[in-house]
C-alpha cells in the first residue's frame, strides 16, 4: 500500500474515490451486499478501481449483472474483477448457499444492503420483523458463515452500514419482532441500525485473535438511493415538521460511500475496531436524540448489549 494519508484529510465532503486514492488492493477479495444500487455501487466501484476482486451480493442478479457491465465499461483496465452472487438477506437459504459457494480467503466484507421504514409490519419467511431480519440477522448469518474465510485473510475487515437512525431506538430484546408492542417503522429501523453497530462491537471482541477488524458507520443523508423505496414520504415530512427527525446535510452517493470505503480499505484506520464512524471519522457519544444530527448512542457501543445480541442472534440462525 502507499504511504497512509492522515485521517484529518477526509471529512463530510470526501468521496469514495478520494478516500481510496493511492491504495493498492490487488490480490484482495471483497464482498459488498446490496451493490446494485446507491452507495453499494460506489463502494464496489472504489474497491475494484483500487484492484480488489469484488463480488456484488444482490437479490436481483439481473440488476447486478447490469451494474457490473456498467462499471466494467467505466473502470480502468487495471481494476479488479467484478462478479455477481445471489443473496436475499431475508431468506436464510440464500445466505447459506452464498456462504457454501465461497472458497478461499475474504479480505473485505461490506454489509451494505438494507431496508428502511416500511409503513406496515412485514415478516421474513422465518417470522422475524423484516428490518431486524434483513438489516441485522441476514448480515449476521452471512458474516458468521464467512468467518473462516475472513480469518484466512490475515487482516480482514468487516464493515456494517448503520445510520443516525440508530438514535430512534436501542435493541428491545423483550420484543424484537413487534409481537406485543404496536409496530412503528422508525423504532423498528432504529433497533436494526443499533444492531448493526452492536454486531461490530461483538465481532471486534470475538474475532480480534483472527486479525479481523469490525466497524460500523453512518453514510450520511443521501437522497439518491433505493433504501427509501418503502418509506411513506408524507410521514417523513411530518416527522421533520414535528421536530422528531433531524437530518444532516445531504450528500451525493459518491460522498455517502466514502466512510464505507475508508473502513474497508484505508490504511488510516488500520487496527481500529469496534467503533462507529461518520464523515470519515469516529463519532462522539450523544446523551439524547433531540436535535442530534451526528453522534452515537451509548447503548449502541455497550459491550453487554453486544454480547446479549450475539447470543440471541446465534439462536435465531441455528
Amino acid at each position: 500500500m502507499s504511504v497512509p494519508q492522515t485521517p484529518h484529510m477526509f471529512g463530510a465532503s470526501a468521496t469514495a474515490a478520494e478516500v481510496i486514492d493511492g491504495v493498492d488492493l490487488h490480490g484482495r477479495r471483497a464482498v459488498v451486499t446490496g451493490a446494485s444500487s446507491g452507495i453499494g455501487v460506489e463502494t464496489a466501484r472504489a474497491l475494484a478501481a483500487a484492484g480488489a476482486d469484488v463480488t456484488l451480493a444482490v437479490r436481483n442478479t439481473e440488476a447486478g449483472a447490469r451494474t457490473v457491465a456498467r462499471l466494467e465499461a467505466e473502470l480502468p483496465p487495471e481494476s479488479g474483477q467484478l462478479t455477481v452472487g445471489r443473496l436475499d438477506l431475508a431468506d436464510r437459504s440464500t445466505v447459506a448457499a452464498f456462504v457454501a459457494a465461497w472458497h478461499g480467503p475474504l479480505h473485505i466484507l461490506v454489509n451494505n444492503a438494507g431496508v428502511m421504514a416500511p409503513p406496515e409490519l412485514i415478516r421474513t419467511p422465518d417470522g422475524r420483523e423484516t428490518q431486524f431480519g434483513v438489516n441485522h440477522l441476514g448480515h449476521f448469518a452471512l458474516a458468521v458463515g464467512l468467518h473462516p474465510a475472513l480469518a484466512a485473510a490475515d487482516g480482514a475487515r468487516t464493515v456494517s452500514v448503520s445510520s443516525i437512525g440508530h438514535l430512534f431506538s436501542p435493541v428491545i430484546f423483550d420484543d424484537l419482532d413487534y409481537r406485543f408492542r404496536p409496530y412503528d417503522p422508525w423504532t423498528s429501523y432504529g433497533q436494526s441500525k443499533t444492531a448493526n453497530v452492536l454486531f461490530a462491537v461483538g465481532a471486534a471482541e470475538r474475532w480480534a485473535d483472527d486479525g479481523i477488524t469490525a466497524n460500523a458507520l453512518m453514510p450520511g443523508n443521501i437522497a439518491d438511493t433505493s433504501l427509501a423505496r418503502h418509506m411513506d414520504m408524507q410521514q417523513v415530512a411530518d416527522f421533520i415538521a414535528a421536530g422528531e427527525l433531524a437530518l444532516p446535510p445531504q450528500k451525493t452517493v459518491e460522498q455517502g460511500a466514502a466512510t464505507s470505503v475508508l473502513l474497508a480499505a484505508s490504511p488510516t484506520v488500520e487496527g481500529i475496531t469496534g467503533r462507529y464512524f461518520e464523515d470519515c471519522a469516529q463519532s462522539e457519544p450523544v446523551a439524547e436524540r433531540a436535535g442530534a444530527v451526528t453522534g452515537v448512542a451509548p447503548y449502541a457501543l455497550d459491550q453487554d448489549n453486544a454480547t446479549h445480541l450475539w447470543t440471541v442472534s446465534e439462536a435465531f440462525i441455528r
Side-chain angles (χ1 to χ4, degrees):
M1 288 190 177
S2 62
V3 176
Q5 301 184 60
T6 55
H8 73 267
M9 293 180 68
F10 307 122
S13 63
T15 66
E18 291 169 346
V19 165
I20 209 166
D21 183 39
V23 176
D24 183 3
L25 296 179
H26 287 90
R28 310 278 182 101
R29 304 170 76 201
V31 169
V32 181
T33 70
S36 60
S37 64
I39 64 172
V41 174
E42 297 309 315
T43 301
R45 181 199 303 274
L47 297 176
D53 293 332
V54 183
T55 298
L56 284 64
V58 297
R59 283 188 308 132
N60 185 335
T61 54
E62 291 183 359
R66 289 193 297 271
T67 300
V68 165
R70 176 163 60 89
L71 291 177
E72 287 178 338
E74 297 168 352
L75 286 165
E78 65 273 15
S79 299
Q81 182 179 1
L82 293 165
T83 57
V84 177
R86 184 169 186 271
L87 179 72
D88 182 349
L89 292 164
D91 183 347
R92 289 217 310 265
S93 68
T94 75
V95 177
F98 186 94
V99 169
W102 189 269
H103 299 287
L106 174 61
H107 303 84
I108 298 166
L109 172 61
V110 182
N111 290 328
N112 167 81
V115 59
M116 177 191 278
E120 304 296 332
L121 175 62
I122 306 169
R123 299 198 184 278
T124 63
D126 57 351
R128 307 269 73 90
E129 185 279 315
T130 195
Q131 295 191 85
F132 186 77
V134 170
N135 297 349
H136 169 61
L137 284 176
H139 279 129
F140 180 85
L142 178 68
V144 169
L146 290 173
H147 172 255
L150 292 163
D154 189 23
R157 299 187 185 190
T158 68
V159 180
S160 297
V161 178
S162 180
S163 169
I164 192 173
H166 83 275
L167 298 179
F168 281 127
S169 178
V171 174
I172 307 300
F173 289 102
D174 289 332
D175 191 21
L176 291 168
D177 294 308
Y178 288 82
R179 298 191 182 277
F180 295 92
R181 53 189 168 137
Y183 173 74
D184 176 79
W186 292 109
T187 58
S188 170
Y189 181 66
Q191 97 163 343
S192 75
K193 295 290 102 178
T194 294
N196 291 153
V197 187
L198 290 173
F199 166 76
V201 174
E205 179 187 33
R206 283 164 179 75
W207 296 350
D209 289 345
D210 299 314
I212 302 168
T213 61
N215 292 288
L217 68 114
M218 155 66 168
N221 174 18
I222 305 144
D224 186 15
T225 173
S226 65
L227 179 63
R229 62 191 178 275
H230 296 295
M231 289 171 59
D232 181 336
M233 298 314 293
Q234 183 57 52
Q235 185 183 55
V236 175
D238 292 344
F239 260 57
I240 293 172
E244 296 182 50
L245 179 65
L247 293 174
Q250 281 196 0
K251 291 184 177 184
T252 66
V253 288
E254 294 84 3
Q255 292 169 331
T259 307
S260 295
V261 172
L262 178 96
L263 293 174
S266 175
T268 65
V269 294
E270 188 75 37
I272 294 175
T273 191
R275 310 294 175 83
Y276 175 85
F277 279 66
E278 57 195 333
D279 295 339
C280 296
Q282 290 185 51
S283 299
E284 297 294 330
V286 294
E288 61 181 23
R289 187 181 78 202
V293 294
T294 61
V296 58
Y299 55 71
L301 295 176
D302 184 87
Q303 188 63 61
D304 290 340
N305 287 344
T307 299
H308 191 180
L309 180 63
W310 197 283
T311 301
V312 167
S313 301
E314 282 187 323
F316 282 163
I317 67 169
R318 285 189 187 125

